[in-house]
Amino acid sequence: EEQEYPESQLNEEIDRREQAEMRENGMHQRLASPDKGVAESYPDNGYLEESSDKRKKKGLLQGLGIHGIPAPDLLAILSVYFVQGSLNLARVATTFFLKDEFHLEPAQVSLIEASSYFPWMIKPLYGILSDTFPIGGYKRRSYLSCCGLLGSISWLYLGLYANSPTMTLLMLVGSSVGTACADVVVDSIVVERSRDQTTAGTLQSLCWGTYAFGGILSSYFSGSLVEKFGPRWVFCITALLPLITLGFSFVINEERQRDHKSMDVKAQLQIQCQKLWIIAKQPAIFYPAIFIFLFQATPVPEGAFFFFKTEKLGFHADFLGQINFISRVAMLLGVGLYNYSLKNVSLRELFRWIIVAGLVLGSTQLILVSGFNRTLGISDQLFAMGDTALLTVLAQLSFMPLLVLAAQICPEGVEATLFATLMSILNSGSFTGSFLGGVLTSWLGVTSDNFDNMFLLVAVCTVLSAAPLLLLHLVPETITSEERKDAV
């Protein structure tokens, strides 16, 4: 029989009835996430036996969330993005550490830094592992905890004990594993919690805004800390950042699974690969994926440029930190410019103009290498700051369409898995570009004290950056950023 309850007791009575019904059945159901086909059942584990006061406090905290996403989950998601951005704190320190501690050459530094990003090339594997092997009964909470702990230990060991390039590379890879896996885990939470376009759009804005804030904040101090305390102390400070992820992992709303039967990871991987290949071999997906890889795979002389700025031009760590800060601010400007002015332009046309602009603006680096800027009355420091700002805005303008292209070629029903795979392809292209840049640096004989062929190195890389113009036919002709916003 239906009874009348005061409004203040209505929610409590509904909870009481639902709990009683679930105890009768001995089970409770959790709705499947959007990328799963069936609901999953879990036995009653005492999760519903919370005290009334605890439920009230939890309800108040959840009320601070957005569009039905509880505040604890939102904080955990944003903490991962903040940590990703804040790890920029160690960027300048890492390059100085490899250069000064082990006296490596530019090509060797490029190879180590590129190799440290290998974990970002296998992102789908982390999703399969977390879905197949819950740790302690949790698919999300436990993996985030492990990621935070792994990242913190890696940076701390790097700061205190790393005594060889090999050990340094292993610790950098360990940190990248923690960051990349945490990224996949929170992306899965986003998929599970986002039920509509409004929620997804709001959440993406918050995530990337938090990432940018962490990057700008950390880059401001990245050079001055190296200047005052040295790279090892910066690594130890950086070790504190992944602990933020560890702390927030415990507040995620996730029910513990019991008697979970883990599928063989090899079989699961085979199933996922078969599904992906059936979809990915379609020309509408396969050809744009080739373009995404090759667009990122053109060689970049980043390692050689770092040595040129420090050894030839005499830039100190503090000033390089300022350049790093400017690049992060310019990155935000690039995102804003794209969102407000270029979303209605067809991607093929946008890529064409970006590649041409990259060829022209990339040539300005030749002015710095040749010293012609001083003939024009512009100091090396001022020219480097302005050049960095322009090239970073352009780089971000090229990166945003790549994300849009990857999102829009994903068919419905497999968006999450295929998008993660395409991002792995994009990261593989970036690794290839850094690796080829290191090979060219070594082949042309550019070392820490020999920059005779630096002009030729930069010129070759700049010309090769225009190679994707020959592949524009792989990009769908009419697609724009405004189409299929739900996929984006």
Side-chain angles (χ1 to χ4, degrees), residues 346-367:
S346 80
L347 291 185
R348 182 185 290 188
E349 191 67 17
L350 187 56
F351 279 124
R352 177 180 288 110
W353 286 108
I354 286 174
I355 293 170
V356 172
L359 181 62
V360 174
L361 294 179
S363 300
T364 59
Q365 294 180 316
L366 297 173
I367 297 177

Side-chain angles (χ1 to χ4, degrees), residues 403-422:
L403 293 180
V404 172
L405 178 61
Q408 294 197 3
I409 64 176
C410 293
E412 295 182 3
V414 292
E415 295 96 337
T417 304
L418 185 56
F419 186 78
T421 303
L422 290 172

Side-chain angles (χ1 to χ4, degrees), residues 297-335:
T298 56
V300 290
E302 187 174 1
F305 239 110
F306 178 86
F307 277 77
F308 180 78
K309 290 176 180 177
T310 56
E311 302 301 317
K312 185 72 173 180
L313 301 182
F315 291 176
H316 298 293
D318 189 26
F319 180 72
L320 291 177
Q322 295 175 31
I323 292 180
N324 192 18
F325 173 75
I326 290 174
S327 70
R328 291 291 163 168
V329 175
M331 186 181 297
L332 273 183
L333 293 177
V335 173

Side-chain angles (χ1 to χ4, degrees), residues 284 288 346-348 405 409 472-479:
S346 80
L347 291 185
R348 182 185 290 188
L405 178 61
I409 64 176
L472 282 177
H473 63 280
L474 300 178
V475 180
E477 186 173 6
T478 58
I479 194 170

Side-chain angles (χ1 to χ4, degrees), residues 181-418:
C181 183
D183 181 76
V184 171
V185 171
V186 295
D187 281 349
S188 68
I189 298 175
V190 171
V191 171
E192 291 174 357
R193 299 294 191 264
S194 299
R195 300 301 185 206
D196 53 58
Q197 180 181 333
T198 302
T199 302
T202 303
L203 199 53
Q204 287 294 330
S205 298
L206 283 172
C207 289
W208 286 106
T210 306
Y211 174 87
F213 174 73
I216 291 174
L217 184 65
S218 61
S219 62
Y220 184 80
F221 300 101
S222 60
S224 58
L225 288 176
V226 174
E227 193 86 17
K228 293 180 180 178
F229 304 108
R232 288 189 180 271
W233 273 103
V234 174
F235 296 151
C236 292
I237 296 172
T238 305
L240 299 175
L241 296 173
L243 296 179
I244 299 175
T245 300
L246 174 63
F248 279 106
S249 67
F250 296 106
V251 303
I252 293 177
N253 287 282
E254 182 183 10
E255 297 172 0
R256 185 178 182 183
Q257 303 179 31
R258 295 186 182 278
D259 301 325
H260 178 83
K261 295 181 180 180
S262 298
M263 182 184 296
D264 178 62
V265 70
K266 183 179 179 180
Q268 179 75 349
L269 187 59
Q270 289 177 342
I271 293 172
Q272 292 292 336
C273 290
Q274 289 172 358
K275 289 181 179 179
L276 281 174
W277 176 242
I278 292 173
I279 297 169
K281 69 180 181 180
Q282 300 176 22
I285 297 174
F286 184 73
Y287 292 134
I290 293 177
F291 178 83
I292 289 173
F293 173 82
L294 294 178
F295 187 89
Q296 293 291 97
T298 56
V300 290
E302 187 174 1
F305 239 110
F306 178 86
F307 277 77
F308 180 78
K309 290 176 180 177
T310 56
E311 302 301 317
K312 185 72 173 180
L313 301 182
F315 291 176
H316 298 293
D318 189 26
F319 180 72
L320 291 177
Q322 295 175 31
I323 292 180
N324 192 18
F325 173 75
I326 290 174
S327 70
R328 291 291 163 168
V329 175
M331 186 181 297
L332 273 183
L333 293 177
V335 173
L337 179 60
Y338 177 81
N339 284 329
Y340 285 103
S341 304
L342 301 174
K343 288 195 296 184
N344 293 320
V345 181
S346 80
L347 291 185
R348 182 185 290 188
E349 191 67 17
L350 187 56
F351 279 124
R352 177 180 288 110
W353 286 108
I354 286 174
I355 293 170
V356 172
L359 181 62
V360 174
L361 294 179
S363 300
T364 59
Q365 294 180 316
L366 297 173
I367 297 177
L368 183 64
V369 172
S370 64
F372 185 67
N373 56 288
R374 292 190 293 272
T375 304
L376 299 174
I378 305 174
S379 67
D380 292 334
Q381 290 81 358
L382 181 60
F383 191 90
M385 293 174 73
D387 189 54
T388 297
L390 286 175
L391 292 178
T392 303
V393 169
L394 184 65
Q396 195 62 33
L397 287 178
S398 66
F399 183 69
M400 295 298 291
L402 287 175
L403 293 180
V404 172
L405 178 61
Q408 294 197 3
I409 64 176
C410 293
E412 295 182 3
V414 292
E415 295 96 337
T417 304
L418 185 56

